Amino acid sequence: MTTHRRQRRRFLRQLGHALGGAAASRALPGATIALLSGAPTGVAADEIHRREIPDTDETIPAIGMGTYVTFNVGPDQAMRDQLTEVLETFFDMGGSMIDSSPMYGTAEAVLGDCLERLDDTEGMFSATKVWTRSTSEGREQIEDSLNLWGIEEFDLMQIHNLVNWEAHLETIRARRDAGEIRYTGITTSHGRRHDSLERIMRDEPLDFVQLTYNVLDREVEQRLLPLAQERGIAVIANRPFRRGRMFDRVEGKPLPDWAPEYGIDNWAQFFLKFIISHPAITCAIPATSRPEHMRENMGAMRGPLPDEDTRRAMITYLEEV
Amino acid sequence: MLPYSLDVYFSVIARMNAELWWAAMLAVLAATLVVLSVADERSGWIPRLAALTLALGWLITGTVFYGDRLEPLFFGAHWFQWAYTAQAALLALVAVAPRPGLPRASPAAVGCGVTLMLVAVLVMPGTEAVLRDGWPEIRLVGLAPEPTLVFTCGWLLTRTPGWPIALLALIPLAGGAAAGHSALALNWGLDWVVTAAAAALVLLPTLLAQHSH
């Protein structure tokens, strides 16, 4: 039964894609998917927000999934079972983009194991990284990652934290030209190396950048996000919850009165909706090891998004609590 | 930033203890003998044997815990493995060097050192047994880094300060700093005991010397 429900949901989602990306997603609101598939209506009460990859006709859901820490669980079977449930929830609720890295210990191996247990991962947008100073090791890492994920090609290959980026970019471009990778990207986190990233974004043709952006870390609004829009580069926002520390800040604090107007039922959705309402952001990638948190995260893809005034109110509210 | 969670860290400890339970028991027995040896040092060889036992503990922790168990989960594990191996080599070197030996410190310093050693052997595992799920989710001296660090800081306090002890204190001090980072990153307050032990190793000899004057 579970399998059939999942396949039906997947079929409906794929139908949405086939009908024309973002426009079709609006034509097939989440409530309809929920009604037909039995998904919880509490979070599927509106359409799924998708974002266009600049200069393409392709769209991806505005909420993806990170794997840092959460999927680095080694051989522990109980934890892997729970992560398989997380992954199943992710796909069931319209998720697509998954991001990982060889730097994350066993995360890619665990992810591959969990994906293998799911009988249908069609529509997944796979993103990983190269993370080594050695150019030849970088080539091997891409092969290793393919094997660990159990897939034949990556949608997006990024250079982790700009490490040896010139050489790795050459490797990735060669593989893209050979049809083995679809998009190229480069990443940084927690504000380091923004100047270098800006230079690369100006000088190199990139499809994606990944950087830290959340309601408290907004430095990238000044230069990097406008530059990404100007250069037609998709943006993945990492650390949307500051590795969970933002929840400590708001523990026991109420959401603002106006939150329900934007379909915000919890703090995860408050944080995520702030991020994906920025016009330059393509996708946010929260990480979790708990299915109930995944449901909360994916709920941020539904309902109205805050406008500019509301975004300012969100910042003010968070600074005051 | 550590790329694993507290639960994953303790699952590594639990699996290691379950699979190497005999080594864990031997390590605790050896640590108990080292504590007892401080109480009765009739021969100059006793502290040398204790240093060699500690060297073995550091080597096993570096090789088994960091080099084998944590390595798949943590890109920095091999750096720790090298540091633990280096500390094992230093301990062995000081143990077999003819001079200056490892003379016993003042009674007050020995008392503080033995207290820290007992904290590592009994209090830390006991507290973890209560706070976590009991055996095998318990870090034990000689296999897990944190109690090994605390135990070593304690034993070094029982020795008269001098260049060998200063040399042997360098890596435990760095370990104390790393444990503080870990306490913050994993939100596990018990790791502050390691940082406190490292601080005691630096501060206590000076404070005790001032007090005796």
Side-chain angles (χ1 to χ4, degrees), chain B residues 82-154:
Chain B
W82 283 115
Y84 273 67
T85 306
Q87 179 71 0
L90 287 174
L91 279 161
L93 198 68
V94 170
V96 299
R99 288 181 179 188
L102 293 159
R104 190 181 170 87
S106 67
V110 170
C112 293
V114 169
T115 304
L116 274 183
M117 291 161 85
L118 290 173
V119 164
V121 177
L122 298 172
V123 179
M124 286 180 78
T127 309
E128 276 178 1
V130 173
L131 296 177
R132 302 286 308 177
D133 286 337
W135 176 262
E137 270 197 37
I138 297 169
R139 293 179 290 186
L140 294 172
V141 66
L143 268 186
E146 296 82 2
T148 304
L149 278 161
V150 173
F151 189 86
T152 304
C153 289

Side-chain angles (χ1 to χ4, degrees), chain A residues 6-7 9-15 17 50 61 87-88 90-92 94-98 115 118-126 151-152 155:
Chain A
R6 189 164 61 241
Q7 284 174 343
R9 261 169 273 170
R10 194 64 44 78
F11 167 74
L12 288 167
R13 208 161 49 239
Q14 285 167 353
L15 179 65
H17 295 198
R50 301 180 66 88
L87 211 48
E88 189 168 12
F90 174 71
F91 284 123
D92 282 354
S96 167
M97 202 274 203
I98 300 175
L115 287 171
L118 300 177
D119 54 1
D120 182 8
T121 56
E122 277 290 313
M124 177 174 73
F125 187 96
S126 53
I151 58 177
E152 288 174 4
D155 294 297

Side-chain angles (χ1 to χ4, degrees), chain A residues 295-315:
Chain A
R295 274 188 282 278
E296 289 184 1
N297 293 347
M298 298 307 280
M301 280 208 297
R302 295 165 172 87
L305 289 178
D307 54 23
E308 196 47 48
D309 288 343
T310 311
R311 283 169 55 81
R312 275 195 289 274
M314 290 171 111
I315 295 167

Side-chain angles (χ1 to χ4, degrees), chain A residues 280-294:
Chain A
I281 297 292
T282 310
C283 179
I285 47 169
T288 180
S289 55
R290 293 168 62 174
E292 64 271 26
H293 289 170
M294 176 57 79

Side-chain angles (χ1 to χ4, degrees), chain A residues 235-250:
Chain A
V235 179
I236 300 168
N238 60 32
R239 302 187 186 218
F241 307 139
R242 273 193 178 177
R243 284 198 67 191
R245 285 199 301 275
M246 278 160 71
F247 291 108
D248 298 337
R249 188 181 176 120
V250 297

